[in-house]
Amino acid sequence: MFITNEEIQTHIKFVHEKKREVVCQICDYKTHTNATLKMHIVRHHTKDYSFTCKICNIGFASKGGLNNHVDIVHEGRRLVCEVCSKSFKTQGAYKEHVEKHDPNKDKSLFRCQVCSKLQGSASQLKRHVREHKATVESYLCDICGKSLTSSTSLKCHILTHTGVKKFVCDSCGKTFTTKKLLVVHTRVHTREKPFKCETCNKTFSQRGSLTIHMRYHTGEKPYKCDVCPKAFVSKTLLKGHKCKASL
């Protein structure tokens, strides 16, 4: 079951008619329609927005996104579930909630043949299966036994054991084992925050921080306590919960 007719047509084309996915030439993002790909490129790469809010000058890749922004932020409207009357600020959170009322939800999902975990789309299932494959074909650290998915990752990991930190910050002299860690650290000095939440416009210096932040909008809590029913948006919060429980 689907919320809009557009989603139904997309589902039929790419699940039953076996249409190909379109891939972003800049990153590895995949989608089913050229329109969605175009929106992705604008949001994440070019920032060349076609629609701008006349009230606060925030840019949007689609007219629908602009309309939702005006309705929710400036006019105070919310998306209300017709089943339980719960309200939501974002279309994504609303859609995810409505699906929970669908008795046939599991039938429309894609099940992993390795671990039986359900995925929301064929592309998500494909990425999930690759994680199983990566685990099998992983590179093992001879020092601690940790498995990595590539030889490059293994080399960077081994540096954490040797203590070699050849990447130096020009501003404070702090050293790092990888160039990636140095780049992230430099944002402390430059105050650069390149990762932006398109729902509330809050910015972050790391992609991981943005990913965790987005879960507060969607309500997703993937880290579940194995003792009680509580769940958390990050592994750190789950770890803190376990520590408090053990005191």
Side-chain angles (χ1 to χ4, degrees):
M1 296 181 69
F2 300 88
I3 296 175
T4 66
N5 184 59
E6 183 181 0
E7 290 178 341
I8 294 174
Q9 298 305 321
T10 301
H11 167 78
I12 291 172
K13 285 181 180 179
F14 299 104
V15 175
H16 301 295
E17 295 179 1
K18 306 297 183 184
K19 298 290 184 180
R20 292 184 177 180
E21 292 180 320
V22 284
V23 184
C24 176
Q25 299 300 311
I26 303 172
C27 66
D28 58 357
Y29 174 81
K30 295 179 181 179
T31 184
H32 294 308
T33 66
N34 288 323
T36 308
L37 177 61
K38 184 178 178 181
M39 191 176 297
H40 159 80
I41 291 173
V42 171
R43 285 177 174 171
H44 298 279
H45 301 302
T46 65
K47 305 296 183 183
D48 184 19
Y49 295 107
S50 302
F51 304 91
T52 305
C53 176
K54 294 180 180 179
I55 302 173
C56 62
N57 294 321
I58 294 177
F60 295 87
S62 69
K63 189 174 182 180
L66 171 60
N67 290 340
N68 283 339
H69 164 77
V70 174
D71 287 346
I72 296 167
V73 177
H74 300 299
E75 297 185 4
R77 297 178 188 173
R78 286 174 176 256
L79 300 163
V80 181
C81 174
E82 295 179 357
V83 179
C84 66
S85 299
K86 189 173 182 180
S87 62
F88 300 87
K89 287 185 177 181
T90 66
Q91 182 71 34
Y94 168 73
K95 180 180 176 182
E96 184 176 348
H97 169 79
V98 170
E99 288 177 347
K100 293 178 181 178
H101 292 300
D102 177 12
N104 300 312
K105 180 184 176 184
D106 286 355
K107 295 180 181 178
S108 66
L109 298 181
F110 297 81
R111 188 179 297 277
C112 173
Q113 298 300 312
V114 180
C115 66
S116 297
K117 189 174 182 180
L118 293 170
Q119 302 296 321
S121 67
S123 59
Q124 288 177 355
L125 176 61
K126 188 175 180 181
R127 286 194 293 270
H128 172 75
V129 171
R130 279 204 300 264
E131 292 177 3
H132 288 299
K133 186 177 179 182
T135 301
V136 175
E137 299 176 353
S138 61
Y139 295 81
L140 292 176
C141 172
D142 293 332
I143 302 172
C144 69
K146 184 176 182 179
S147 61
L148 289 304
T149 55
S150 68
S151 58
T152 304
S153 299
L154 178 59
K155 289 177 182 177
C156 291
H157 168 75
I158 289 175
L159 290 175
T160 62
H161 295 298
T162 61
V164 176
K165 297 181 178 180
K166 61 180 180 179
F167 298 94
V168 184
C169 173
D170 294 331
S171 300
C172 66
K174 193 172 182 178
T175 56
F176 300 87
T177 55
T178 66
K179 186 176 181 179
K180 183 178 180 180
L181 290 174
L182 173 60
V183 170
V184 173
H185 164 77
T186 10
R187 292 172 188 152
V188 173
H189 302 295
T190 62
R191 299 186 182 279
E192 179 190 5
K193 295 182 178 181
F195 304 101
K196 182 179 179 180
C197 172
E198 296 190 2
T199 303
C200 67
N201 298 316
K202 190 172 182 179
T203 55
F204 302 87
S205 60
Q206 298 183 48
R207 187 182 297 276
S209 300
L210 173 59
T211 300
I212 292 172
H213 167 79
M214 287 303 299
R215 290 172 184 156
Y216 287 104
H217 290 300
T218 63
E220 180 190 5
K221 294 182 179 180
Y223 298 95
K224 295 178 173 58
C225 177
D226 51 8
V227 179
C228 73
K230 285 189 176 182
F232 303 86
V233 295
S234 71
K235 189 180 291 186
T236 303
L237 290 175
L238 173 59
K239 187 176 180 181
H241 165 73
K242 290 183 174 180
C243 288
K244 287 181 181 178
S246 63
L247 294 175

